[in-house]
């Protein structure tokens, strides 16, 4: 019994998550983290080794939650599923207890300041998000919603950028209505990429 942590591991990670999410890796001090977690420095180091070890667990936990939430979105068509996914992560009007923005997006923006092991966790989370988006797009190609030659890689980066931007733009003053319009405009890439890959002879015939 004496070798086990005498605290709620999940609660400690959630408290540290709020600090990292709000301030980022570099600006989050050990004092801020231990105060939020309610741990002494020695207890924190014993459990997580160092700040980097703590951040890795926190970011991995955050990424798992986000990926689970993304995977849970379903709809009648793949286009509707993607659009619903983007709307799912739009900030709602009013105050929320969670910090603003996306922790994965924040980690991406300060990648140069992250130790290599934490960089790997951040990239893994981002790759997981892209994999979900590209999976939706590939299924759309398979069922005929998108043309066979659609640029899946380009579109997956496009929609990942929209997802991250729409979660972070409220900090710059974007309203929920404006962000819904961002999603509407972003979805125009879906038919545009199909038009771009259409057979040129068919395009001339349609014109």
């Amino acid at each position: 019994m004496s070798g086990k942590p005498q605290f709620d591991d999940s609660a400690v990670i959630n408290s540290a998550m709020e600090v990292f999410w709000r301030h980022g890796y570099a600006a989050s001090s050990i004092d801020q983290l231990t105060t939020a977690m309610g741990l002494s420095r020695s207890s924190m180091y014993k459990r997580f080794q160092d700040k980097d070890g703590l951040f890795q667990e926190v970011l991995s936990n955050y990424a798992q939650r986000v990926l689970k939430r993304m995977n849970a979105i379903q709809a009648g068509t793949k286009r509707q599923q993607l659009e619903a996914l983007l709307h799912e992560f739009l900030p709602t009007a009013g105050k929320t207890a969670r910090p603003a923005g996306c922790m994965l997006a924040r980690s991406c923006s300060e990648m140069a300041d992250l130790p290599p092991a934490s960089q790997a966790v951040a990239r893994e989370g981002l790759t997981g998000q892209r994999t979900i988006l590209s999976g939706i797009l590939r299924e759309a190609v398979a069922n005929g919603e998108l043309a066979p030659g659609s640029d899946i890689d380009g579109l997956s980066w496009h929609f990942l950028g929209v997802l991250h931007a729409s979660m972070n733009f409220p900090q710059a003053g974007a309203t929920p209505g404006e962000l819904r319009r961002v999603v509407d405009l972003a979805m125009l890439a879906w038919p545009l990429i199909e038009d771009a890959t259409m057979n040129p002879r068919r395009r001339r015939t349609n014109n």
Side-chain angles (χ1 to χ4, degrees):
M1 293 292 293
S2 60
K4 294 183 179 180
Q6 301 300 308
F7 51 81
D8 185 332
D9 212 52
S10 178
V12 162
I13 288 175
N14 285 337
S15 296
M17 182 184 295
E18 182 166 344
V19 176
F20 282 128
W21 192 347
R22 192 177 302 279
H23 302 289
Y25 176 85
S28 297
S29 69
I30 296 296
D31 285 343
Q32 284 177 307
L33 290 164
T34 53
T35 298
M37 293 186 293
L39 299 180
S40 65
R41 283 181 175 241
S42 60
S43 294
M44 194 209 80
Y45 288 131
K46 183 176 182 179
R47 168 62 179 83
F48 300 102
Q49 305 302 316
D50 53 21
K51 178 181 172 180
D52 188 32
L54 173 60
F55 183 76
Q56 289 170 46
E57 287 208 37
V58 165
L59 187 59
S60 177
N61 190 286
Y62 175 87
Q64 289 170 18
R65 295 181 192 182
V66 169
L67 297 178
K68 181 178 180 180
R69 189 175 169 190
M70 291 174 68
N71 273 318
I73 304 300
Q74 299 297 323
T77 68
K78 293 293 117 179
R79 191 184 191 284
Q80 290 170 347
Q81 181 182 357
L82 179 57
E83 188 170 12
L85 187 156
L86 295 175
H87 277 102
E88 169 69 16
F89 286 87
L90 290 179
T92 55
K95 294 183 178 180
T96 175
R98 296 180 303 173
C102 171
M103 191 175 173
L104 278 171
R106 176 183 281 279
S107 299
C108 184
S109 68
E110 62 173 348
M111 192 73 77
D113 295 323
L114 299 181
S118 289
Q119 290 183 11
V121 174
R123 290 194 178 98
E124 183 179 358
L126 293 164
T127 298
Q129 288 186 301
R130 258 193 84 210
T131 298
I132 291 172
L133 295 171
S134 62
I136 294 172
L137 295 165
R138 292 184 196 284
E139 289 176 18
V141 171
N143 68 19
E145 287 186 58
L146 277 177
S150 297
D151 183 0
I152 301 299
D153 286 342
L155 279 171
S156 64
W157 279 117
H158 166 72
F159 288 115
L160 180 59
V162 173
L163 175 63
H164 284 186
S166 63
M167 294 174 71
N168 285 282
F169 280 168
Q171 299 177 83
T175 66
E178 289 169 335
L179 292 172
R180 286 192 293 272
R181 181 61 176 152
V182 167
V183 172
D184 291 343
L185 291 170
M187 291 305 300
L188 293 177
W190 185 287
L192 286 176
I193 195 67
E194 185 173 356
D195 290 344
T197 56
M198 188 185 294
N199 184 290
R201 181 177 297 176
R202 183 181 169 189
R203 287 206 303 270
R204 286 195 296 271
T205 301
N206 291 342
N207 291 336

